[in-house]
Amino acid sequence: MKCSYHPIPVVFSHAKGSCIWDPEGHKYLDFLSAYSAVNQGHCHPKVMRALVEQAERLTLSSRAFYNDKFPVLAERLTSLFGYEMVLPMNTGAEGVETALKLARKWGYEKKNIPKDEAIIVSCCGCFHGRTLAVISMSCDNDATRGFGPLLPGHLKVDFGDANALEKIFKEKGDRIAGFLFEPIQGEAGVIIPPDGYLKAVRDLCSKHNVLMIADEIQTGVARTGKLLACEWEDIRPDVVILGKALGAGVIPVSAVLADKDVMLCIKPGEHGSTFGGNPLASAVAIASLDVIREEGLTERAGQMGQEFRQQLMKVQQKFSGIIKEVRGRGLLNAVELNNKALFPASAYDICLQLKDRGILAKPTHDTIIRLAPPLCISSDELQTASKALSDVLELDLPKLQKQKPETDHSPVYHVCDRCGRNTNTSSDSDI
């Protein structure tokens, strides 16, 4: 099989809850959740029933007509998240594209930005998808090289640096339509901003009349122990992008939430999608949100996440020279390894050993392992994963370091085409 990814060598055959089985019947615990797309657990029975029942009635109406499922979803989304309107799409990347178009249109119509001069500010290390507009914001050379010319109208700022954002707003604020950010940077390695950063961003965006656009595709729908990760600082963005877990891993569903003053800048015919808001996806999304509420998965993510980090920190104490940091919110967590102590092995090698011990995780960059299981994960399963990591570091890593030629995985660095910084190359992305 040829593809543009570097997958862990395991074949999924069937799945249930937090568990995966390969064709030979070997069982694994899923600690990636399809990049947080299966927060509810694999093949949740309520979601699957909604899928089958709707598939037997109606799957698609297109946007040329109405259907009876999307209005129910729209009401659910707007009331649950507290926004006046929602625009449905399919993938997360489409949701980001929608938000970018919306911000530009708002900038011209409401902020009176001169024609074709609207600017979107985003963060270094961001990951918002792989479409052309999105990679025009990327700091990843692998994502950008060979795909130019990139779209103009983008500025970068360091994630978590409110002072740098204020400086950009003061210098170019009259032409800035929106600030797009992840409340927690996922692909960058589960990077959590300093306390107070989101509130500072909210204040700056309000002061300079800039749309605050939160990409909650990975962090939203209960993953971090809040329904939205922005709720950790009790702030309300102007635009919220949802995806991944909105479809419970069953069908792609994304949505952009905003109030009328913003959303109605896009007129009929100016943006849309044949499949956006289709009845099948709407039925699945309704059931997905029901599961989150009925099973208390938001609260569960917070409780289980705290328990899991305590376990991981005990492993860190045991291997303090190898584990540099344990961090996360809810059940979106990462273990960052010390490159020198790990060499010549990598986080990918650790994930291979975890797989052999029944735990499926995936690295981002050469030294970071993301650990984000379905929110239905049990305490015993979390303990199993923590013990597996401890065993890998104690028993498997020394063997790896002796067997692996040092030339196989020497640290790789590159200079970012955009900012000129030396950064570790990433091995994989989620879209």
Side-chain angles (χ1 to χ4, degrees):
M1 179 178 67
K2 295 182 178 180
C3 64
S4 59
Y5 292 85
H6 190 200
I8 299 294
V10 61
V11 177
F12 285 21
S13 179
H14 69 280
K16 193 71 175 176
S18 58
C19 299
I20 302 287
W21 287 265
D22 67 16
E24 291 72 39
H26 300 126
K27 181 181 177 181
Y28 305 88
L29 289 176
D30 181 5
F31 271 75
L32 186 62
S33 302
Y35 300 98
S36 298
V38 288
N39 288 1
Q40 299 84 347
H42 289 274
C43 300
H44 193 285
K46 179 164 186 168
V47 180
M48 299 309 295
R49 281 197 302 273
L51 174 77
V52 172
E53 290 173 5
Q54 186 60 42
E56 291 176 342
R57 294 180 65 247
L58 176 69
T59 59
L60 183 64
S61 60
S62 83
R63 298 298 286 275
F65 307 98
Y66 298 103
N67 69 72
D68 61 355
K69 282 296 178 182
F70 174 65
V72 179
L73 174 61
E75 172 60 29
R76 188 72 54 87
L77 286 169
T78 52
S79 61
L80 184 61
F81 293 98
Y83 288 87
E84 293 176 346
M85 300 191 77
V86 59
L87 203 164
M89 299 299 288
N90 306 288
T91 66
E94 283 183 327
V96 174
E97 290 277 339
T98 298
L100 294 177
K101 289 178 67 176
L102 187 58
R104 283 184 170 186
K105 198 73 171 2
W106 173 88
Y108 297 129
E109 290 198 358
K110 300 289 185 173
K111 191 172 177 176
N112 297 317
I113 295 174
K115 181 182 178 182
D116 296 337
E117 292 187 18
I119 295 171
I120 302 293
V121 178
S122 59
C123 295
C124 293
C126 69
F127 184 84
H128 300 290
R130 290 292 194 189
T131 60
L132 189 56
V134 170
I135 66 167
S136 296
M137 298 181 288
S138 178
C139 299
D140 181 358
N141 292 345
D142 292 335
T144 58
R145 287 179 178 172
F147 298 103
L150 301 179
L151 273 65
H154 293 287
L155 288 176
K156 305 299 295 182
V157 66
D158 284 344
F159 181 65
D161 189 341
N163 291 330
L165 184 64
E166 183 177 23
K167 182 179 178 181
I168 285 181
F169 281 4
K170 284 181 177 178
E171 291 176 352
K172 301 180 182 294
D174 59 334
R175 292 185 291 131
I176 296 175
F179 173 56
L180 173 67
F181 69 100
E182 302 158 89
I184 298 172
Q185 288 193 326
E187 177 67 15
V190 189
I191 307 300
I192 299 173
D195 290 344
Y197 173 69
L198 296 181
K199 285 186 177 179
V201 170
R202 175 66 276 175
D203 291 343
L204 287 170
C205 287
S206 297
K207 179 180 179 180
H208 293 273
N209 195 24
V210 172
L211 291 183
M212 184 183 187
I213 308 169
D215 180 345
E216 293 260 14
I217 293 167
Q218 185 169 174
T219 55
V221 195
R223 169 55 59 181
T224 70
K226 301 283 188 181
L227 199 57
L228 295 176
C230 285
E231 293 176 12
W232 281 99
E233 294 198 16
D234 296 320
I235 60 97
R236 184 180 187 269
D238 300 298
V239 181
V240 170
I241 311 166
L242 299 175
K244 292 189 185 297
L246 196 56
V250 173
I251 193 169
V253 190
S254 63
V256 178
L257 292 159
D259 289 337
K260 292 179 180 178
D261 180 64
V262 175
M263 188 69 79
L264 292 179
C265 290
I266 289 184
K267 306 299 189 296
E270 292 180 345
H271 187 67
S273 165
T274 299
F275 282 85
N278 72 77
L280 188 62
S282 297
V284 165
I286 292 166
S288 299
L289 294 172
D290 285 346
V291 169
I292 295 292
R293 176 179 54 83
E294 293 168 1
E295 299 186 7
L297 294 184
T298 305
E299 297 77 14
R300 183 177 179 80
Q303 177 188 346
M304 292 291 101
Q306 186 174 6
E307 182 178 319
F308 189 38
R309 281 187 298 281
Q310 289 173 349
Q311 295 172 13
L312 293 174
M313 286 175 185
K314 289 180 180 178
V315 179
Q316 181 186 21
Q317 291 172 0
K318 185 177 179 180
F319 301 97
S320 57
I322 300 173
I323 297 180
K324 182 178 178 180
E325 185 180 15
V326 171
R327 57 180 178 261
R329 285 248 170 89
L331 281 172
L332 179 61
N333 295 283
V335 172
E336 183 169 356
L337 305 172
N338 186 309
N339 190 57
K340 290 183 179 179
L342 195 60
F343 184 76
S346 68
Y348 181 80
D349 295 317
I350 299 300
C351 288
L352 291 179
Q353 299 303 313
L354 284 172
K355 186 265 294 185
D356 290 343
R357 293 179 180 274
I359 305 298
L360 299 181
K362 195 73 170 64
T364 179
H365 305 286
D366 288 330
T367 59
I368 302 171
I369 301 171
R370 282 176 290 196
L371 295 164
L375 308 186
C376 60
I377 194 86
S378 71
S379 294
D380 289 344
E381 289 170 332
L382 291 176
Q383 188 64 56
T384 297
S386 300
K387 184 180 186 302
L389 177 61
S390 180
D391 289 345
V392 167
L393 296 180
E394 180 177 2
L395 303 174
D396 301 335
L397 180 57
K399 296 178 183 177
L400 273 173
Q401 291 173 321
K402 290 179 180 179
Q403 296 170 358
K404 198 174 181 71
E406 292 194 2
T407 55
D408 276 4
H409 214 289
S410 56
V412 179
Y413 298 92
H414 71 217
V415 176
C416 174
D417 290 344
R418 183 185 297 278
C419 66
R421 295 178 180 172
N422 291 323
T423 57
N424 285 327
T425 56
S426 63
S427 58
D428 175 46
S429 291
D430 61 339
I431 295 180

